[in-house]
Amino acid sequence: MASRLNVVYLDLKPLPLSIFDSGVEKFQNAFQAKDYVEAAWHIEKAEKSLKVLRSRQDFEPKILKSLHTELVVQKQNIIYHLGQEWEKLVIWKLSGQKETANLDVETVLKTELHLCTAVPKGEETGSLIASVLEAFTILGQLNTRLRFFSHLLLKYILKPLILYPVLHLNIMEDQETQTSVLQFEKILSSQEHPSPPEVYIKVMTVLEHLHKHLFDVPFSDSEVEDIKPKVALTEALGDMIWEELSDCIIRDCLVYSIPTNSNQLEKYEVVIKATEDFEKALKNIHFLKNDATALLKYARNVNTHFASKKCQDVVVAARNLMTSEMHNTVKITPESKITLPKMSTPSSGDKLKAAKVAQIQCAETGSLENEKQVSQYTFSMPACRISETVQKLMELAYQTLSEATSSNTQCAVQLFYTTRNIFHLFYDVVPTYHKENLQKLPQLTAIHHNNCMYIAHHLLTLGHQFRYKLPPPLCDGAATFVDLVQSFRRLGTECFLAQMRTQKAELLERLSSVKNFSNLDEEDNYMVANKAVRQVIHHLKRLGKVWQDVLPVTIYCKAMGTLLNTTIMEIANRVTALEDISTEDGDRIYSLCKIMVEEGPQIFTPLAEENKNKTYQQEVPLYVPKWMKFKELMIVLQASLQEIVDRWADGKGPLATEFSSTEIKSLIRALFQNTERRAAALNRIK
């Protein structure tokens, strides 16, 4: 009976339970001896045996729960102690400043990283750091610790080294305390952004130091099946931070190293080589696994980035010019030219070939030169004033196209269409951004008109000047700006015509205070009319001064002539509409018209030199279509019936040229009483 009980007892004590008991016991012994690796192995063995016990259906649940609780307590105990050891071995000294996206230099200078490299007592090789890291690995806690460490490493060491060229890395080794200290010091630097080679050296110094003292640790072989503590710690760190680290290097370093001029592209090979060496060094310490990373791809794709950066810089510069003040002007004359950037000259072979072709053509066609030559200024921009910013904008366009001629095909195409986009941007931005000033300030409207005409003038030949220096398909006819010419002319014209309508409305409003020029024999009515006429003259003179030396002479004279014509026609129409004009009214209307005739020509002052304006003041009838009609009206107001009939001359005289028979008859009826002489005169006006 006893033997049977013993057999049952042996069956009830399964092998996994004995393994669990043995594992816990050995764990406690190793833990007390601070043999963390051994302790971790045994606690993992105990955990595995507990899983086997749970899989059995005949085992008491209460015992399982008790065993599980014991295992959790012991495992958390070693994890806690390992954490304390880790904090003693890897010490971060940080400033107490609140976390921000980017730390300032002064804050970073307070950062220190202390690594303890001491070897535990009784151990010939292997540091305490290696023991702790291996134990973390066995317990599955390594990723948690590494992730927090990598966050601090990026934020307080690697990113500041990339951002600030004034930071210098200083590593001190203390043999007595067996501690290495990584800290920063500030140096003098005139650079706004560090160069890529400098950044690579600094980053590699940090990672190699960590690899040597922290992550390049020997792990003992696994004694437990399915437990694989052998991991490349540097590789694990690389998996965690490389993507963010490379993005930071690209965003805060490589972007600023991209050349701004195509002539500097060859020198960029130094940066590409440095990037390749940097990645090789990272692979040597197992920080990187893949060959072609985003960092190296970015550096090698410099032509694309150069084009994108150049285009972005051009558009930003153009927009800044467009949103600047327009009133700062420069004088443009027919002799004014934009200095074309130097472009590659044809080879001697091309020159010889071109010369031979020219000789053959001359021999075949003979001389086709016309004896009468047009002026060299025939197709030049007339003298006027344009915004200084627009002149710079055109220079920017020429420089960009010049850059395109010495770039590769992809870059050249991007730069060409960026230049086109500059003009599209001008068309959309300037009228909107300066809308209020363009409506209120006549001078600014005139400048804007000139700006648009100046741009249109250059757009006619801009593409042709660069066409044969650009790669296909641009050289095959795509390099043109002619399609934009009409849009810019319309833009300038519409804006100026809107200002002309505004000025016309103001002139007519000033004349509206005069009630049909009737009853001027009353002193008050005459004073009102006289004041209105003089206000109109003053307004026109002031406007003439505002546009003086700004608009081209022909545009100036046409504009002022149109406004003066509007004024005199308004007066003439009101006078001819009167049904009765007394002798005194006629005299006073005549005196008002005389003011217009005497002072009207004085508004034509297109040039700053007064003595040069007399010619234009004498040519008023050329710019004011109804000027002679107005002067004929004055003659009629002072003439007798016979003089009016004589100037009509049976519809062939000067009066008939300016007035219709109906208008003259109406004036005669208003000026003269109903007599036989008036009836006879009316009969002769046909």
Side-chain angles (χ1 to χ4, degrees), residues 92-109:
W92 286 94
K93 291 188 177 180
L94 308 173
S95 68
Q97 183 178 341
K98 293 182 179 179
E99 284 203 12
T100 54
N102 289 324
L103 302 173
D104 56 48
V105 175
E106 298 305 321
T107 302
V108 174
L109 287 171

Side-chain angles (χ1 to χ4, degrees), residues 551-596:
L551 287 169
V553 172
T554 53
I555 302 297
Y556 177 96
C557 292
K558 286 181 181 179
M560 296 305 297
T562 300
L563 294 175
L564 181 58
N565 191 70
T566 298
T567 305
I568 62 174
M569 279 306 299
E570 178 68 13
I571 295 173
N573 290 337
R574 291 194 184 187
V575 171
T576 54
L578 294 175
E579 295 181 357
D580 182 41
I581 303 174
S582 65
T583 303
E584 190 174 353
D585 280 348
D587 292 340
R588 292 199 165 182
I589 292 174
Y590 177 83
S591 66
L592 294 177
C593 293
K594 188 177 180 181
I595 294 173
M596 293 298 300

Side-chain angles (χ1 to χ4, degrees), residues 204-445:
M204 275 310 305
T205 302
V206 174
L207 295 178
E208 285 176 344
H209 180 73
L210 294 176
H211 178 71
K212 177 182 177 182
H213 294 291
L214 188 60
F215 296 128
D216 189 21
V217 294
F219 282 180
S220 59
D221 293 333
S222 174
E223 298 177 3
V224 182
E225 189 180 357
D226 295 334
I227 298 176
K228 298 178 181 179
K230 277 195 172 181
V231 292
L233 295 180
T234 312
E235 184 179 316
L237 179 67
D239 290 340
M240 290 180 183
I241 70 171
W242 174 243
E243 184 176 350
E244 188 173 353
L245 177 63
S246 60
D247 285 346
C248 182
I249 293 174
I250 291 171
R251 182 179 63 252
D252 298 318
C253 178
L254 276 183
V255 165
Y256 300 104
S257 71
I258 299 297
T260 56
N261 192 295
S262 58
N263 298 330
Q264 301 171 346
L265 283 174
E266 292 182 4
K267 298 179 181 178
Y268 199 75
E269 289 295 328
V270 176
V271 175
I272 297 175
K273 181 67 168 59
T275 307
E276 291 173 349
D277 294 341
F278 176 59
E279 292 203 352
K280 286 179 183 177
L282 291 176
K283 289 170 192 171
N284 290 337
I285 61 173
H286 307 293
F287 188 85
L288 275 186
K289 294 182 291 186
N290 300 327
D291 289 333
T293 68
L295 184 67
L296 187 55
K297 287 178 181 177
Y298 186 93
R300 286 174 175 169
N301 204 15
V302 62
N303 286 321
T304 301
H305 300 311
F306 163 73
S308 299
K309 182 180 180 181
K310 183 70 179 177
C311 294
Q312 183 180 0
D313 291 345
V314 167
V315 171
V316 170
R319 195 182 189 286
N320 289 338
L321 289 172
M322 294 172 199
T323 54
S324 300
E325 294 295 335
M326 294 173 60
H327 60 264
N328 295 324
T329 61
V330 291
K331 183 81 173 183
I332 295 297
T333 63
E335 294 85 3
S336 300
K337 293 181 180 178
I338 289 182
T339 304
L340 291 177
K342 290 183 179 180
M343 292 180 284
S344 57
T345 56
S347 63
S348 57
D350 293 337
K351 289 181 179 178
L352 184 61
K353 185 177 179 181
K356 289 181 178 179
V357 172
Q359 289 174 1
I360 294 171
Q361 289 177 342
C362 288
E364 291 178 352
T365 60
S367 178
L368 298 178
E369 184 177 348
N370 197 327
E371 293 181 1
K372 294 184 178 180
Q373 300 282 321
V374 297
S375 169
Q376 60 176 326
Y377 303 128
T378 300
F379 300 106
S380 298
M381 181 80 180
C384 63
R385 285 195 169 272
I386 63 168
S387 297
E388 192 178 66
T389 54
V390 167
Q391 187 182 47
K392 291 179 179 178
L393 187 71
M394 284 308 307
E395 289 174 355
L396 179 65
Y398 275 94
Q399 290 167 4
T400 306
L401 288 175
S402 176
E403 193 83 42
T405 61
S406 57
S407 303
N408 59 50
T409 301
Q410 180 185 358
C411 183
V413 171
Q414 279 186 265
L415 290 173
F416 171 77
Y417 283 103
T418 297
T419 308
R420 281 186 62 93
N421 289 340
I422 289 175
F423 299 114
H424 284 298
L425 194 65
F426 183 96
Y427 189 89
D428 294 330
V429 170
V430 172
T432 304
Y433 187 85
H434 299 282
K435 182 178 180 180
E436 187 174 349
N437 287 335
L438 289 175
Q439 291 175 344
K440 293 181 178 179
L441 306 176
Q443 187 182 56
L444 215 60
T445 307

